[in-house]
Amino acid sequence: MADTLNPLLGSLAKDPKATEDFSKEVEELLSRVDTMATAGRLEEAIELLLGLEKKTRQASDGISTSKLVCKICKMYFDAKEWTKLKENIITLPKKRGQLKRSTTDMVHLAMSWLDGLDKEKRLDLINTLNEVTEGKIFVEVEKARLTQMLAKMKEEEGKIDEAASLVQEVESFGAMERREKTEYILNQMRLVLAKKDFVRTQIISKKINPKLLESEDFQDLKIQYFEFMIRYWLHEKKFLDVAKCTLAIFNTPSVKEDEAKWKEALTSYCIFLVLSPYDNEHDDMLHKLDTMEGKKLEKIPVYKNLINIFMKKAIVNWSLADEAELKRHSVFQESPHEGAEERWQLLRKRVVQHNIKVISEFYEQIHTKRLCELVGLGDKETEEELSELVCSKFVYARIDRPAGTIKFGKKQTYIDRLNGWSDSITKMLDLVENTSHLIQKEQMIHAARAKLKGKK
């Protein structure tokens, strides 16, 4: 029996912190108590173990104390004395001067039994162990694992809110191995998203360092993390951030090796990028995509054409030529993300805004009716789209409703006018100086020729 406990208890060497070594006495007693338990003298055997446990604990013999504490729990577990097992799991760590090692090993031993128990007993033992680990930093990892087990049971019962609340209770798990820690945080994100607690999702997401996800052994977790962030940013309707997340997934080596996966990621990136509001960063990302991923874009011509629409200075008619294929993309389907029809209408809106932007670069002034004809909208809708572009400072325009005209171009301030006048004067003076120089040069040439003729 002692051999089965060795993996949990560690080395049999003497504890360097112990004031007295009880290893010999412990081994002798452990061999005796099994025989006593078989003979029906369980309580007598436990009393002997508790008596020696007190001595080893007071002598700070961590290895021996750990063996005895685990043996007590193991004997009650084998005898199916469930009530007494729970009592001892709670009382043994509370004994005066109890050693951290013995508590940790006891918790490890009890956790190893969980998979073999029925649902009711598993829940009972988890709650007991949670009580033992509460507030003890040296078993914070075990506390986190127990909480996760309990949350999983609640989730299986359909109690998502309770499961999410449970995993959020554990805030400190610094001793956890980095992959396990990341998986725990991702599970927190998954549950709060299922609960539709988007504020908490953003707070939890900041616990993960994106640089950590770039490690080769974290590729699956990186994809999972950015998929959760896509759900968050879609709820916030920040499509540029959604595009950045899809780009991060696309740049994952495991995704690039699978053609189906990188096509899905790249096409999603193209769509979310064109759905983003116009600004300088959006424009920069469009041009970088065309230069950096040109070869891959050739394999998805429909989406390459979509990107080219927003890069060329040309008016585009709605409906789009590839509308049917675009609508079949998952971005414009209700599953996995809601709001597909809203995103399709937003694409139409971005095409209209692109047309207005193109027109503003070719016209200084245009009649409102003519602008409506070019973009294919009514007066009110055209004015709304133009106003949105003006508010985002991507287009400068002034609407004269009585005259029915729109004037494009930024209104000059007095400083701009003064700078313009100064530049014009400088250019004029440069021309005068250059002309004067040319005239003097011409005069000198004529004078030299006249002198040569006089000598002849």
Side-chain angles (χ1 to χ4, degrees), residues 344-355:
W344 182 255
Q345 292 304 318
L346 183 60
L347 178 60
R348 178 173 178 266
K349 179 188 182 79
R350 296 300 180 222
V351 169
V352 170
Q353 290 181 343
H354 165 76
N355 290 341

Side-chain angles (χ1 to χ4, degrees), residues 29 99 149 205 249 264 297 314 318 333 345 350 355 451:
L29 182 59
L99 304 174
M149 290 178 192
S205 69
I249 293 173
E264 176 66 24
L297 281 174
W318 185 268
Q333 301 293 322
Q345 292 304 318
R350 296 300 180 222
N355 290 341
K451 190 180 282 187

